[in-house]
Amino acid sequence: MRIHSLVSIEQCGSDDIVRILNKAKTFEENPNRRVLEGCIAATLFFEPSTRTRLSFETAFNRLGGKIVGFSDAATSSSSKGESLKDTILIVSNYADLIIMRHYLEGAARYASEVTAIPVINAGDGANQHPSQTLLDIYTILQTQGRLDGLTITIVGDLKYGRAVHSLIAGLSHFKPSFHFIAPDELRLPDEQKHYCDFHHIPYCEHSVFTEEIINQTDILYMTRVQRERFTDMEEYERVKNVYILRNEMLSGSRDNLRILHPLPRVNEIAYDVDSNPKAYYIPQARNGLFVRQAIICEVLNL
Ligand code: CP
């Protein structure tokens, strides 16, 4: 059954994920199809974004639709005190689809419950980023030729990283093994560890980022420390540069290793890694266009 609103990756079974990835492949082959002629999407971004907003908007434009919305909530009437409910109900009068990023966890689910039109969660606080996960899984399949049985090492801010939380759930269908590398302050929350235990997914936690772990890894998923989620800036200063991947650390890595990052990068991947053929974060972001075209078609039943 098709997905009406995409608010959490946990809504997607493996069949849903495979269906969306197969559709994305057809968009990679031909991204310009005018199947959305006459459709309008509203992009409501209450938090900053480069990739997610621009790739969703490009996806919609390349499919022949039109976009309304805001990229800065300060220019919307939410800055005058309008509630999220009222904003969603008003925008639902104008658009066929809402694509929303919000700083509150659960905001996308709430929006999907107050409107009849589809809502796509473009990130809600530290909770979920399901379209990022689908493009991450598309990229993993593209680079590994398979999804099952991979060793995935996730490094950085595992506490606040919504892309991390979604990725663990999205990959749970494909028998992964995880290494989680984080400083004590940014360890993976118990909720995600219980999720792994419940789904019999093996994982090891580490606080030191070593070549020994990199050398056992198929996908190295680097993440940024999420400054905007900290209430204590001294704590942020202590952990912000805790792990930096440098090219020399990859010398013993597997041939099939690929380095992914949801981006933006701050300091956690040195620029000398960019020229290593195992660096794949720029093509990963490009895949966001095709996967988001597929997600849009999924929720609009096209
Ligand atoms: N990966 C990601 O969500 O990037 P943006 O914040 O630029 O959208």
Side-chain angles (χ1 to χ4, degrees):
M1 205 164 79
R2 84 176 176 94
I3 292 163
H4 174 70
S5 285
L6 180 63
V7 298
S8 165
I9 197 68
E10 289 173 43
Q11 292 169 252
C12 298
S14 58
D15 290 357
D16 300 314
I17 293 173
V18 169
R19 182 177 66 253
I20 292 169
L21 267 45
N22 286 340
K23 185 93 171 173
K25 181 79 181 137
T26 71
F27 284 118
E28 184 173 4
E29 286 154 10
N30 176 16
N32 297 312
R33 288 184 234 165
R34 304 194 72 77
V35 294
L36 294 181
E37 208 88 59
C39 283
I40 295 180
T43 50
L44 311 183
F45 276 66
F46 293 85
E47 276 194 333
S49 169
T50 297
R51 276 145 294 275
T52 309
R53 185 175 66 82
L54 295 183
S55 62
F56 265 122
E57 293 189 355
T58 305
F60 217 80
N61 284 327
R62 286 195 183 276
L63 295 175
K66 289 195 163 51
I67 303 285
V68 296
F70 52 81
S71 57
D72 176 0
T75 65
S76 80
S77 286
S78 65
S79 66
K80 303 174 198 164
E82 186 165 56
S83 68
L84 180 60
K85 179 179 180 182
D86 284 357
T87 302
I88 296 297
L89 289 176
I90 297 307
V91 171
S92 301
N93 287 326
Y94 310 143
D96 302 294
L97 164 66
I98 290 173
I99 300 164
M100 186 175 81
R101 170 168 289 185
H102 203 282
Y103 48 86
L104 288 179
E105 299 180 15
R109 181 171 303 284
Y110 177 72
S112 75
E113 287 169 359
V114 300
T115 181
I117 69 170
V119 174
I120 298 174
N121 182 4
D124 61 327
N127 185 33
Q128 280 274 322
H129 197 348
S131 68
Q132 178 70 47
T133 295
L134 289 165
L135 80 88
D136 291 343
I137 297 177
Y138 185 82
T139 306
I140 292 169
L141 181 59
Q142 184 177 64
T143 60
Q144 304 296 315
R146 66 189 169 103
L147 291 173
D148 275 326
L150 296 169
T151 299
I152 316 278
T153 296
I154 307 181
V155 183
D157 186 346
L158 310 190
K159 179 178 179 185
Y160 296 119
R162 58 191 170 205
V164 171
H165 303 159
S166 288
L167 184 63
I168 291 166
L171 285 173
S172 66
H173 304 287
F174 306 107
K175 303 183 180 64
S177 303
F178 287 115
H179 290 284
F180 297 130
I181 306 180
D184 285 347
E185 296 89 336
L186 299 177
R187 285 175 64 173
L188 193 70
D190 285 344
E191 183 184 342
Q192 277 74 33
K193 286 190 266 184
H194 292 153
Y195 186 92
C196 289
D197 293 337
F198 183 77
H199 290 89
H200 308 290
I201 297 170
Y203 65 88
C204 298
E205 292 187 275
H206 315 264
S207 57
V208 183
F209 184 27
T210 65
E211 290 177 39
E212 190 187 346
I213 303 170
I214 294 174
N215 295 349
Q216 303 166 33
T217 295
D218 299 308
I219 291 291
L220 180 57
Y221 195 91
M222 300 296 298
T223 68
R224 167 181 75 94
V225 176
Q226 311 256 312
R227 180 167 52 91
E228 64 275 28
R229 311 274 176 235
F230 282 75
T231 48
D232 177 352
M233 280 303 129
E234 280 180 20
E235 183 172 274
Y236 170 71
E237 289 298 322
R238 269 199 309 279
V239 295
K240 67 177 183 184
N241 290 328
V242 65
Y243 306 124
I244 300 177
L245 178 66
R246 301 185 192 283
N247 199 36
E248 71 222 24
M249 296 165 72
L250 299 168
S251 57
S253 62
R254 293 178 174 174
D255 291 344
N256 66 310
L257 175 82
R258 291 296 177 274
I259 302 150
L260 305 187
H261 191 313
L263 303 177
R265 148 175 61 179
V266 180
N267 211 17
E268 55 281 350
I269 301 180
Y271 281 93
D272 67 357
V273 177
D274 292 1
S275 53
N276 191 312
K278 295 176 182 176
Y280 210 79
Y281 26 90
I282 303 300
Q284 176 190 5
R286 179 173 183 269
N287 286 337
L289 171 59
F290 316 125
V291 172
R292 288 179 171 124
Q293 286 184 303
I295 294 168
I296 289 164
C297 288
E298 170 79 13
V299 300
L300 291 176
N301 202 17
L302 293 169

